[in-house]
Amino acid sequence: MRSLVRVLPGLALTLMMVGTAISARAQDEPTPEDSTRAMVQQPSFARDVAPILVNVCQRCHNPRSTTYRTHGFDMTTFESFLKGGNAGSPVTPRNAAESLMVHHIKGENGFAKMPPGGQNNLGPQAIERIERWINAGALLDEGRSPREEIQKFAASAESLEREALGKLSAEERDKVFLTRALELYRKSGLKDAPQTAVSTHFVAVGPLPQARLQHLTKEMEKVLVELTRFLGRPVGAPLIEAQDKVVVLVFTEKTPFSEFVQSDQNRRLERTSASVHKFTAASSYVAVVDPLKGSDEPDSDRDALAAKKKRGSTRNRAADSPAGPERTLVGLATQDLVEGLVGKVGKSPRFLAMGLGCSFAQRVEPASPYYNTLRRDAFNQLRIGWATKANETLGDQGDPQDLRAMGFSLVEWLSTAPPTRPRFPLFAQVLIADGGNKLDEALERIYYTKSREQFIGMWGQWVGTAYRGLVGGR
Ligand code: HEC
């Protein structure tokens, strides 16, 4: 039992009873790890109680529910919640032990257990939070109106977690993210402790020399700065929030990598894929197979690539193994980082996120022949049926490989050709903010194109001219 000394009188008794009766369920515990923190904080309706009402109780306790006539209890607003149902107000301020709601959530003294049915029972910590809030006076948070919908201001599990992370010191936060990174890493089936490197926005883990991991996080920070500038992000809305970090997982073999993808994303990998990403509120990562298989020669790959390119030996090989030694670790990670972040911040069409991913990656591995493979793929569409393929791309349809090649050619055209270059950042920002279905509007407003067909024609013309040299005599 936790120290009872500082606990209010009414709570002491209930605390002792909690341990016995109630089964804990993950869902009503948005922040299991920081219940200790909640104990020393002032109770808050928005933080401690509202999420439970919204997630567990409102399903039945609203005027449209079929059981509404039985109980008459509407929890839509704070006002209707306080008023209560047929039996009156659910709370007796400063007296949790006498509160109707507490009787119900505990199912004590003959009151029907809430929620009914034995599922979604509130865990001890959730009950404790409700009791503390009642014992502190059952007040609404300052600045909130009792007529507002509770759902609008109930703190989500995600924002609670953010808040908790924001309060940690930098070292503690590093530890939290390292732990998360290692948990992810173990999904690959690898048991050995990998090397780790932590920077402001990234934590990298993998079985390769630490110097290379450090180099990787440093490069990722640079990419982040460039992307932030390109997207014109305001100071208050960083791509990766101050309390957050993106995990970068590096594998040296294909097997643990696909094992990881299978386990975390529940899907099979395409044969050629050597990098994946996931960007959600709960977990953001990039996972990559190191083209150098964990060897300990940072960046020697760049020179090797340049030499290879001169000899022209990669022409046909690149197509069936885009992830071979033709690419660099930093390049692969950049591609997925940019694609993931662009996809996360707005409603970007896929072709644009993919195109930007490749375009940023190409800047960090300019010697990689991979990009000529993409260019050739785009060029070949000119012979197969440009208008169809281009339309498909702009609608985010079609084979992902083609989408990537076409997206890259589009971004390369718009970001390098003198007439389109100056306005490209604006164009990208608008598409990311408004989504692909506003494409025609954006084209007209930003590039003054009369129609999508006209735009597709100009794009094809550029590809025909700019990429012709790559196809040789064919
Ligand atoms: C599946 C539907 C359902 C869910 C979910 C549910 N309730 Fe109920 N609740 C009822 C029904 C039906 C009654 C009336 C039953 C009775 O009194 O025997 C009721 C009655 C109550 C009452 C008494 C109201 C009165 O004035 O008589 C309280 C208090 C209450 N619920 C609180 C809660 C809380 C708190 C939650 C969430 C933790 C919750 N309920 C979740 C269906 C539900």
Side-chain angles (χ1 to χ4, degrees):
M1 186 107 274
R2 262 192 286 273
S3 148
L4 292 176
V5 188
R6 59 178 167 174
V7 179
L8 297 153
L11 193 52
L13 176 69
T14 45
L15 266 177
M16 290 197 292
M17 297 160 46
V18 191
T20 57
I22 297 105
S23 80
R25 285 261 315 180
Q27 165 214 64
D28 65 278
E29 302 297 339
T31 54
E33 70 278 10
D34 63 347
S35 71
T36 348
R37 183 180 57 87
M39 290 298 286
V40 290
Q41 267 182 4
Q42 205 47 250
S44 144
F45 178 75
R47 186 195 64 219
D48 300 327
V49 182
I52 300 172
L53 304 186
V54 170
N55 292 316
V56 187
C57 320
Q58 276 186 351
R59 183 161 70 81
C60 301
H61 290 290
N62 72 74
R64 293 165 309 283
S65 146
T66 48
T67 57
Y68 183 68
R69 271 208 291 154
T70 340
H71 49 71
F73 191 6
D74 171 19
M75 298 186 186
T76 312
T77 66
F78 186 75
E79 188 177 66
S80 70
F81 168 75
L82 264 201
K83 184 162 142 277
N86 303 334
S89 182
V91 298
T92 308
R94 304 204 172 276
N95 194 344
E98 295 278 300
S99 292
L100 184 65
M101 176 171 175
V102 173
H103 294 320
H104 275 285
I105 55 182
K106 290 182 170 172
E108 63 185 12
N109 304 343
F111 289 92
K113 173 98 170 145
M114 289 292 138
Q119 305 229 303
N120 293 334
N121 280 346
L122 300 189
Q125 287 168 348
I127 293 181
E128 196 179 306
R129 262 184 256 139
I130 291 172
E131 289 172 328
R132 283 192 76 235
W133 171 75
I134 296 175
N135 285 331
L139 301 171
L140 181 59
D141 304 59
E142 223 168 292
R144 292 285 162 210
S145 152
R147 306 229 167 128
E148 240 175 307
E149 283 184 19
I150 289 175
Q151 186 170 12
K152 292 221 176 98
F153 63 85
S156 65
E158 177 199 327
S159 66
L160 287 171
E161 191 178 318
R162 267 157 202 273
E163 194 196 337
L165 279 172
K167 292 204 173 111
L168 298 178
S169 71
E171 293 84 55
E172 288 173 317
R173 200 155 49 224
D174 286 359
K175 258 192 230 151
V176 169
F177 281 100
L178 262 177
T179 311
R180 281 194 197 173
L182 293 174
E183 272 165 18
L184 281 171
Y185 182 77
R186 290 212 188 87
K187 292 187 172 188
S188 66
L190 293 173
K191 299 274 183 325
D192 300 345
Q195 293 289 329
T196 62
V198 182
S199 67
T200 315
H201 300 96
F202 299 93
V203 41
V205 301
L208 64 169
Q210 212 212 4
R212 289 195 59 210
L213 286 180
Q214 267 161 355
H215 174 70
L216 181 61
T217 55
K218 222 169 88 194
E219 294 296 314
M220 293 298 100
E221 295 287 353
K222 281 192 217 157
V223 171
L224 183 65
V225 170
E226 281 168 31
L227 183 64
T228 303
R229 196 178 303 137
F230 172 78
L231 294 176
R233 300 291 291 179
V235 179
L239 289 170
I240 302 174
E241 285 185 42
Q243 69 269 37
D244 223 355
K245 283 188 207 294
V246 171
V247 173
V248 186
L249 301 165
V250 185
F251 298 102
T252 51
E253 305 283 341
K254 204 69 188 271
T255 312
F257 173 64
S258 38
E259 188 69 33
F260 167 76
V261 177
Q262 176 78 50
S263 152
D264 189 74
Q265 305 192 355
N266 198 19
R267 67 179 172 101
R268 283 205 177 286
L269 223 64
E270 300 105 67
R271 193 173 55 90
T272 52
S273 164
S275 62
V276 297
H277 62 266
K278 182 164 113 182
F279 281 78
T280 65
S283 156
S284 293
Y285 66 74
V286 168
V288 200
V289 182
D290 175 25
L292 294 180
K293 296 189 162 39
S295 101
D296 136 28
E297 352 166 6
D299 273 353
S300 63
D301 45 344
R302 238 173 234 207
D303 309 335
L305 280 170
K308 228 191 249 172
K309 202 181 171 204
K310 266 199 204 113
R311 277 185 270 118
S313 64
T314 49
R315 178 166 293 170
N316 295 317
R317 218 149 31 84
D320 52 63
S321 138
E326 287 88 358
R327 303 211 53 186
T328 68
L329 178 59
V330 173
L332 285 166
T334 300
Q335 179 180 324
D336 274 75
L337 175 70
V338 170
E339 199 177 310
L341 284 175
V342 167
K344 189 189 92 162
V345 292
K347 297 186 271 189
S348 175
R350 275 183 78 206
F351 72 81
L352 181 65
M354 284 175 148
L356 286 172
C358 291
S359 165
F360 275 79
Q362 194 244 336
R363 272 185 247 171
V364 303
E365 49 176 7
S368 167
Y370 172 59
Y371 303 95
N372 277 346
T373 312
L374 292 177
R375 291 178 183 119
R376 254 180 243 123
D377 286 351
F379 186 87
N380 285 334
Q381 298 299 339
L382 283 171
R383 313 173 174 194
I384 303 169
W386 180 257
T388 314
K389 190 44 105 182
N391 262 311
E392 214 174 88
T393 301
L394 297 180
D396 271 349
Q397 306 290 313
D399 177 70
Q401 305 264 42
D402 290 351
L403 200 57
R404 178 164 282 124
M406 291 294 282
F408 176 61
S409 77
L410 181 66
V411 168
E412 185 156 63
W413 166 43
L414 295 177
S415 64
T416 59
T420 50
R421 190 176 56 203
R423 310 202 101 196
F424 176 60
L426 176 64
F427 177 69
Q429 287 163 27
V430 166
L431 268 194
I432 291 168
D434 296 347
N437 50 2
K438 294 286 169 61
L439 176 67
D440 292 315
E441 270 174 62
L443 286 176
E444 195 187 333
R445 194 148 66 82
I446 296 160
Y447 285 130
Y448 313 115
T449 36
K450 290 194 205 68
S451 66
R452 195 180 278 212
E453 282 61 44
Q454 186 197 15
F455 179 75
I456 284 174
M458 286 157 62
W459 172 17
Q461 233 165 32
W462 184 85
V463 166
T465 318
Y467 295 169
R468 176 161 314 162
L470 300 169
V471 212
R474 281 192 286 162

